[in-house]
Amino acid sequence: MSPELLGFGSLGLVLLLIAIRMPIGVALGVVAFLGFWFLRNERVAFAVMQNTPFEVAANWGLSAIPMFILMGAVAHSAGISEALFKAARLWLSSLPGGLAVATNMASAGFAAASGSSVATSATMGRLAIPEMLKAGYAPSLAAGVVASSGTLGALIPPSIMFVIYGVFAEVSITKLLIAGVLPGILTAAVYSAMIIARCKLNPKIAPPIGLGMDKDELWRERWRSLAPVWPLLVLIIGMIGGLYGGVFTPTEAGAAGAFLSCVIAAVQWRLTFEVIRTSVMEAVKTTAQLFFVAYGAVMYTKFLALVGVPAMMATMVGDWAVDPVLMLVAVSIIYLILGMFLDPLGVLLLTLPIVQPMFHALGLDPIWLGVIVVKYIEIGLLTPPVGFNAYVVKNVVGDRIPLETIFKGIGWFLACEAVIMFLILAFPQISLWLPNSMN
Amino acid sequence: MKRLLDAVVTGAGWIAGIATIIMMFHVTIDVAGRQLFGHPLTGTVEIVSAYNMIALAFLPLALIARERGHIIVELFTGWMKMRPRTLLDAFVAIITLVYTSVFTWKAIEVAIDKTEIREAKEAGIGFVEIWPARWIVAIGFGLMAVYVLVLMLRDFRTGITGEIHPEDVERHGGVSSTHINQGEEQL
């Protein structure tokens, strides 16, 4: 059997098994096992199953994941999301579409404590959507901004996606996390500009809100609103600064971040046993669940390597000597299509062994590829039919906003994403300037 | 029997949680020691990777299975009625059961081997024995396999008779299209 046939045939089998509700990790692992048996023999196949799980889990790089999740969960339980939204609302609500801009900015802030975009959307959705609807905002705008700004969670450090990409692509996780900073800020800025412009042109979708206080009182309230926010912001800036300066590794940053979040929560008298229990269990369960998928994915990746798929992709690029622009367009199309149907981890781990050698063959920076891949995976969370963030918002709002309206609202932000992706692809420096300036 | 199993599964989850908290302290103290006093804790990387990570990656697997939290895609089967869908789940669970059983079996083999040679990793000037961690892998996969079996039998019964087990009422009553797996919340 030719490598092409084996490669694509096995991928087809994986997708088929996933479609009949097999856990993704099992589907990947079973196909890999059969593949090894077919290409070599049963001894090799069993040996791969024997070695892979321990290899994957006993990994210092991946140990950043439970720490990041723990940090986000504790920060959330300590009320940082409410505090951020309250502060953003007081500072930004005089702008056109002020509540939506405030939601966007509060998401960016929460993203800096949380490593996940879906968690960010779920958290901000519960807080901001009822408030926006009460103020008479168009439901599509209210839902759209929450679903879309949630994707900042995976871009602004900490980020679980960057940790996974870094471990499996064998590039520096620290550099990846730092590389996400500017694209994250860019995304938040373009979103805000779009909201302001849209609400200025069509004030009906976002009626101005009065905060019911005079100017002096407003300024007093504004400064007061920062009090519960600043400890965590200092912690986060310290964490990013420490990573940038090479003072500590991502795992260390995560562990110290989680510990200091606990201290902040304790000082504010919010660190109950229940908070600790739910936060820790969230970290534990999510990590184990991601790893279970990773065992299968790693085995499948090893199988693809044995078949020679990565080398095949690299020669394909070499033979055609395509120019990078064409390849970037091709990569974009692949990710947009896969992102519509597959879960983020599946997309990331399945595409890496194929896309990475192509990038390598053209001499392009793997850190830049990391930003592009994570960005596309986040866009995949917004596109129908399987846009996880849209479903998260749907879960929060229940019957109040139909799914179509949510996707309609997201449409405006996807238009922004087209601009942002163009900038990220056209100017690699947006992603690479910060990590390259590290020593 | 079922209650004992549930207690063990919950207990394993708790141990994983405690391993996470210890890991947080251990790594924090290591960083603080290194940055403030120029004196790190020797063997942090080795101990955390071999013990804490292994505990928190493998011990909760059965707990996740119990909550039906392993990541699946429901998009293509949303149109199916409850009974045929549950039956499909039961058949798919046969493969999951074989998969986790092979993992368990292989993990036990490795654990026996590594115990005999007293597997250790070099850390600083000394060695850290890591063979007990190999048993954690076997326990985690083993518990998961048992729970997959329990749920498979339950799904076969539901699929054939149409009777829904009390623990599954919420799952079958929920709207599948808006159902988000817990783990997805973290990506």
Side-chain angles (χ1 to χ4, degrees):
Chain A
M1 234 190 264
S2 72
E4 289 89 349
L5 194 64
L6 263 176
F8 288 109
S10 67
L11 184 61
L13 187 57
V14 169
L15 293 178
L16 180 79
L17 291 174
I18 289 174
I20 60 165
R21 301 165 68 86
M22 186 175 285
I24 293 175
V26 180
L28 289 163
V30 165
V31 172
F33 177 81
L34 295 176
F36 276 108
W37 195 329
F38 177 77
L39 276 183
R40 290 287 185 269
N41 52 47
E42 80 281 1
R43 283 218 346 265
V44 175
F46 281 123
V48 172
M49 280 193 84
Q50 181 169 325
N51 298 327
T52 306
F54 193 86
E55 260 170 42
V56 172
N59 184 311
W60 175 246
L62 288 177
S63 62
I65 292 175
M67 295 295 105
F68 283 168
I69 300 173
L70 187 61
M71 177 179 166
V74 173
H76 170 58
S77 307
I80 188 66
S81 14
E82 287 91 348
L84 275 168
F85 182 60
K86 196 176 165 208
R89 188 172 150 268
L90 282 166
W91 284 88
L92 299 167
S93 57
S94 52
L95 290 167
L99 272 182
V101 178
T103 306
N104 183 36
M105 285 318 192
S107 293
F110 187 68
S114 155
S116 126
S117 60
V118 180
T120 308
S121 278
T123 308
M124 294 316 299
R126 273 174 219 121
L127 286 172
I129 292 180
E131 190 121 351
M132 283 190 272
L133 293 181
K134 208 166 67 193
Y137 275 47
S140 65
L141 175 63
V145 68
V146 167
S148 311
S149 61
T151 62
L152 296 169
L155 276 176
I156 298 176
S159 156
I160 294 165
M161 282 315 231
F162 276 132
V163 174
I164 298 174
Y165 176 91
V167 167
F168 289 101
E170 295 181 353
V171 289
S172 155
I173 298 169
T174 306
K175 284 195 170 180
L176 283 165
L177 291 171
I178 295 297
V181 174
L182 287 182
I185 293 173
L186 173 73
T187 305
V190 174
Y191 281 179
S192 291
M194 184 277 283
I195 297 167
I196 294 171
R198 224 185 126 204
C199 296
K200 186 111 193 160
L201 293 173
N202 184 5
K204 268 201 311 254
I205 57 170
I209 52 160
L211 292 167
M213 47 184 105
D214 62 39
K215 213 163 178 191
D216 290 344
E217 203 184 339
L218 176 64
W219 277 101
R220 254 198 327 273
E221 282 298 315
R222 277 181 177 172
W223 291 115
R224 193 177 296 161
S225 73
L226 294 183
V229 173
W230 72 262
L232 200 84
L233 289 186
V234 170
L235 165 64
I236 288 156
I237 291 166
M239 196 172 127
I240 296 175
L243 284 172
Y244 181 82
V247 180
F248 34 66
T249 65
T251 303
E252 292 168 352
F259 174 73
L260 292 173
S261 304
C262 288
V263 173
I264 293 172
V267 170
Q268 298 176 346
W269 292 104
R270 285 176 189 259
L271 194 73
T272 60
F273 179 72
E274 192 53 27
V275 166
I276 298 172
R277 195 187 66 85
T278 49
S279 305
V280 168
M281 284 325 267
E282 192 181 321
V284 165
K285 278 195 262 185
T286 310
T287 310
Q289 193 179 37
L290 292 177
F291 276 38
F292 188 71
V293 177
Y295 310 142
V298 169
M299 284 163 59
Y300 185 66
T301 310
K302 285 179 183 169
F303 165 69
L304 287 185
L306 181 67
V307 173
V309 170
M312 188 177 85
M313 299 312 277
T315 9
M316 245 167 68
V317 174
D319 285 351
W320 297 349
V322 287
D323 75 277
V325 176
L326 272 180
M327 199 197 65
L328 287 175
V329 172
V331 166
S332 305
I333 293 169
I334 293 173
Y335 277 108
L336 287 175
I337 293 173
L338 282 178
M340 285 180 179
F341 298 102
L342 271 180
D343 78 298
L345 187 64
V347 175
L348 178 64
L349 293 177
L350 273 185
T351 52
L352 259 192
I354 296 168
V355 174
Q356 214 194 353
M358 293 162 67
F359 248 67
H360 187 74
L362 286 172
L364 301 173
D365 195 315
I367 303 270
W368 184 39
L369 176 65
V371 174
I372 296 170
V373 169
V374 169
K375 200 63 196 141
Y376 272 127
I377 286 171
E378 296 309 306
I379 292 173
L381 291 175
L382 298 176
T383 47
V386 191
F388 280 114
N389 275 19
Y391 287 105
V392 170
V393 170
K394 178 70 187 158
N395 268 1
V396 173
V397 296
D399 295 332
R400 278 178 293 173
I401 305 177
L403 198 57
E404 298 77 60
T405 311
I406 299 175
F407 275 121
K408 214 175 84 194
I410 289 175
W412 287 91
F413 292 90
L414 284 175
C416 293
E417 287 296 346
V419 176
I420 297 162
M421 281 319 293
F422 173 78
L423 291 173
I424 288 178
L425 292 173
F427 304 103
Q429 286 313 314
I430 296 172
S431 316
L432 296 178
W433 176 65
L434 270 182
N436 284 349
S437 68
M438 290 166 66
N439 34 5
Chain B
M1 232 358 236
K2 176 74 178 14
R3 272 165 75 189
L4 179 70
L5 177 64
D6 276 335
V8 172
V9 167
T10 310
W14 275 94
I15 296 174
I18 292 164
T20 311
I21 295 175
I22 294 175
M23 175 175 163
M24 178 182 86
F25 282 116
H26 192 159
V27 176
T28 306
I29 293 169
D30 180 45
V31 181
R34 195 185 62 213
Q35 294 300 332
L36 303 179
F37 310 106
H39 209 290
L41 294 179
T42 314
T44 299
V45 173
E46 289 74 17
I47 292 170
V48 165
S49 327
Y51 284 101
N52 305 58
M53 283 303 281
I54 293 297
L56 80 94
F58 291 97
L59 291 179
L61 285 175
L63 194 64
I64 297 168
R66 180 166 82 191
E67 294 169 3
R68 311 235 186 203
H70 284 293
I71 303 171
I72 66 167
V73 172
E74 301 190 315
L75 174 69
F76 305 101
T77 46
W79 53 273
M80 289 175 84
K81 290 223 165 57
M82 186 279 282
R83 272 175 68 179
R85 199 174 61 215
T86 310
L87 212 51
L88 176 64
D89 278 346
F91 278 109
V92 167
I94 298 176
I95 302 177
T96 308
L97 178 63
V98 173
Y99 183 71
T100 39
S101 303
V102 172
F103 267 143
T104 311
W105 164 42
K106 287 290 153 191
I108 292 173
E109 275 187 9
V110 177
I112 293 172
D113 276 0
K114 302 290 181 187
T115 308
E116 275 170 6
I117 61 164
R118 303 236 148 217
E119 185 189 19
K121 256 195 203 169
E122 206 176 338
I125 41 164
F127 284 88
V128 181
E129 290 200 11
I130 62 164
W131 56 269
R134 300 287 182 168
W135 288 101
I136 302 177
V137 181
I139 294 169
F141 275 134
L143 280 176
M144 178 176 170
V146 174
Y147 228 98
V148 169
L149 177 70
V150 170
L151 293 182
M152 182 189 83
L153 295 176
R154 191 192 289 172
D155 279 352
F156 268 120
R157 174 178 293 175
T158 306
I160 292 163
T161 64
E163 284 170 33
I164 296 174
H165 190 277
E167 283 178 22
D168 284 338
V169 171
E170 201 182 323
R171 188 167 78 99
H172 291 301
V175 187
S176 68
S177 64
T178 59
H179 174 80
I180 301 288
N181 283 304
Q182 203 182 359
E184 300 291 3
E185 293 221 354
Q186 291 306 322
L187 292 169

